[in-house]
């Protein structure tokens, strides 16, 4: 009986990991598309954070959506899941830190996470919601670091 229970646990975690993988991958794809289609807006959004040195704003703003797109594609197909989940968690923590720093520095902007950021009136920011959103997305990333094996993944098919 213990082996059946263990088998069910492995099956359950594989399905949970699939859902986590697809959710996290969909999030990266969703947030990369507006940045890819509106690169000048993404440059402005990155500049508004006032964190990246001025000389690196444009290169970072052009590279960021491609990195997010790559994370999304790799997670959806399930290739390099643990590594991509770890890199996702790190990037989400960087984003969370950046958003928190905006409030701490008294900068009032819309984060531009899904495109279309910019200046907002004092007190009209959504920093708490933005941090909560990114923290929620941190949960599937952490799960996948712990349990990367999932159903319908390239990792499983390639026995990685």
């Amino acid at each position: 009986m213990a082996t059946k229970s263990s088998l069910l646990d492995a099956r359950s975690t594989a399905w949970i990991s699939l859902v986590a993988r697809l959710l996290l991958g969909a999030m990266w794809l969703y947030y990369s598309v507006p940045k890819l289609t509106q690169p000048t807006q993404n440059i402005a959004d990155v500049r508004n954070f006032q964190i990246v040195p001025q000389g690196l704003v444009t290169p970072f703003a052009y590279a960021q959506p491609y990195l997010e797109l790559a994370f999304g594609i790799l997670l959806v197909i399930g290739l390099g899941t643990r590594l991509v989940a770890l890199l996702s968690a790190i990037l989400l923590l960087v984003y969370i830190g950046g958003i928190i720093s905006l409030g701490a520095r008294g900068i009032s902007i819309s984060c531009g996470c899904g495109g279309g950021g910019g200046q907002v009136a004092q007190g009209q920011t959504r920093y708490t919601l933005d941090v909560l959103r990114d923290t929620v997305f941190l949960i599937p990333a952490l799960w996948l670091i712990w349990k990367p094996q999932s159903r319908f993944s390239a990792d499983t098919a390639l026995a990685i």
Side-chain angles (χ1 to χ4, degrees), residues 67-79:
L67 179 65
E68 293 174 353
L69 179 67
F71 285 0
I73 291 169
L74 290 169
L75 285 164
V76 167
I77 65 173
L79 185 61

Side-chain angles (χ1 to χ4, degrees), residues 76-148:
V76 167
I77 65 173
L79 185 61
T81 303
R82 179 175 275 148
L83 176 61
V84 176
L86 175 63
L87 295 173
S88 293
I90 291 168
L91 190 55
L92 285 166
L93 288 170
V94 168
Y95 288 173
I96 289 167
I99 294 165
I100 290 170
S101 81
L102 290 170
R105 292 179 291 141
I107 299 171
S108 295
I109 65 170
S110 170
C111 82
C113 302
Q119 300 294 322
V120 296
Q122 193 73 15
Q124 298 299 311
T125 61
R126 298 179 18 156
Y127 298 151
T128 302
L129 291 175
D130 292 336
V131 167
L132 286 173
R133 177 204 58 227
D134 287 354
T135 302
V136 166
F137 285 122
L138 197 54
I139 295 167
L142 295 174
W143 173 270
L144 290 169
I145 292 167
W146 181 47
K147 296 284 187 183

Side-chain angles (χ1 to χ4, degrees), residues 7 11 17 30 35 55 66-67 75 87 89 100 121 123 136 153 156:
L7 184 59
R11 285 184 187 165
S17 294
Y30 177 79
K35 295 171 191 168
Y66 288 101
L67 179 65
L75 285 164
L87 295 173
I100 290 170
V136 166
S153 74
T156 302

Side-chain angles (χ1 to χ4, degrees), residues 23-91:
L23 282 173
L24 190 59
M27 180 272 301
W28 287 126
L29 293 172
Y30 177 79
Y31 285 117
S32 70
V33 170
K35 295 171 191 168
L36 288 167
T37 59
Q38 301 170 338
T40 55
Q41 177 64 51
N42 197 44
I43 292 168
D45 292 343
V46 170
R47 185 174 288 116
N48 286 337
F49 269 79
Q50 301 174 29
I51 294 174
V52 177
Q54 191 59 34
L56 296 177
V57 167
T58 300
F60 178 85
Y62 275 108
Q64 176 193 22
Y66 288 101
L67 179 65
E68 293 174 353
L69 179 67
F71 285 0
I73 291 169
L74 290 169
L75 285 164
V76 167
I77 65 173
L79 185 61
T81 303
R82 179 175 275 148
L83 176 61
V84 176
L86 175 63
L87 295 173
S88 293
I90 291 168
L91 190 55

